[in-house]
Amino acid sequence: MIDLESVKQRADLLDIIGRDTLLKHVASTNGGEYAGACPFCGGSDRLRVQPNARPGRWFCRVCTGVSGLTVIDYIARRDNLDPKKGLIQANEALVL
């Protein structure tokens, strides 16, 4: 059985999202925040990533509608998967 919280804690959110869009360090508060173009809606400087929050979180100020999305949410949305398959894929990436 996959430990959901363990996957969220161990996954390198900044690295995973950074493979899809260029991220710029924009704040140092609460462990740092990064911004970049949203790979989903294409808006520049809309995507926010807070990799040091526990668990790491991300959101787009336009298209996601919520903040606090996890690495599993990102992979599921990026790869057009349901969240369960996003969890499986994130876990497999950690094992490799």
Side-chain angles (χ1 to χ4, degrees):
M1 177 168 252
I2 299 171
D3 181 354
L4 175 64
E5 292 307 313
S6 175
V7 171
K8 287 193 245 180
Q9 293 295 331
R10 295 179 327 160
D12 187 341
L13 184 63
L14 195 60
D15 179 60
I16 291 168
I17 295 177
R19 294 177 196 173
D20 299 327
T21 190
L22 180 64
L23 296 169
K24 178 182 174 186
H25 188 254
V26 295
S28 296
T29 55
N30 297 323
E33 182 171 292
Y34 295 78
C38 178
F40 306 113
C41 70
S44 63
D45 197 34
R46 292 179 181 171
L47 183 75
R48 294 288 192 241
V49 181
Q50 298 164 335
N52 297 314
R54 288 291 164 229
R57 58 185 177 231
W58 69 277
F59 64 96
C60 173
R61 293 186 298 182
V62 174
C63 74
T64 61
V66 296
S67 62
L69 297 168
T70 69
V71 65
I72 295 161
D73 299 311
Y74 183 83
I75 290 171
R77 186 170 181 147
R78 179 192 69 191
D79 297 346
N80 198 28
L81 303 169
D82 66 61
K84 182 177 180 181
K85 289 184 180 176
L87 170 60
I88 292 167
Q89 190 167 323
N91 187 60
E92 288 172 354
L94 290 171
V95 173
L96 296 177

